[in-house]
């Protein structure tokens, strides 16, 4: 993973790096690897994640087809 530092602005580069790491799921993986997870717990977690993915995909499909209302957008604070 690479981030370019422009005009010696390290803080901006660090923010960009954190955003990239978040998007790639690196923080979630580091947290998961911090402690041992029993194989039975892993199976339960993976099964729950698969169900959540399926529900999300079904919800998005229904929204695209117009059978389910889209979520309301929050007004920006600008």
């Amino acid at each position: 993973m690479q981030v370019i530092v422009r005009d010696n602005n390290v803080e901006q580069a660090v923010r960009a790096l954190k955003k990239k790491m978040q998007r790639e799921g690196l923080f979630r993986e580091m947290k998961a690897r911090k402690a041992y997870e029993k194989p039975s717990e892993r199976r339960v977690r993976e099964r729950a994640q698969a169900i959540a993915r399926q529900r999300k995909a079904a919800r998005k499909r229904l929204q695209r087809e117009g059978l389910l209302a889209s979520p309301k957008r929050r007004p920006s604070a600008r």
Side-chain angles (χ1 to χ4, degrees), residues 9-49:
N9 194 346
V10 178
E11 287 82 18
Q12 183 180 4
V14 169
R15 278 198 309 269
L17 178 64
K18 283 184 179 180
K19 189 178 280 189
K20 278 188 177 186
M21 291 171 68
Q22 180 73 31
R23 224 178 288 132
E24 294 291 323
L26 220 62
F27 292 124
R28 189 180 309 121
E29 187 175 341
M30 287 187 331
K31 185 177 178 183
R33 289 177 184 245
K34 194 182 292 188
Y36 178 73
E37 184 178 26
K38 289 173 41 179
S40 60
E41 292 173 348
R42 189 179 119 237
R43 281 192 299 272
V44 168
R45 178 183 50 80
E46 288 177 350
R47 207 170 280 145
Q49 287 175 337

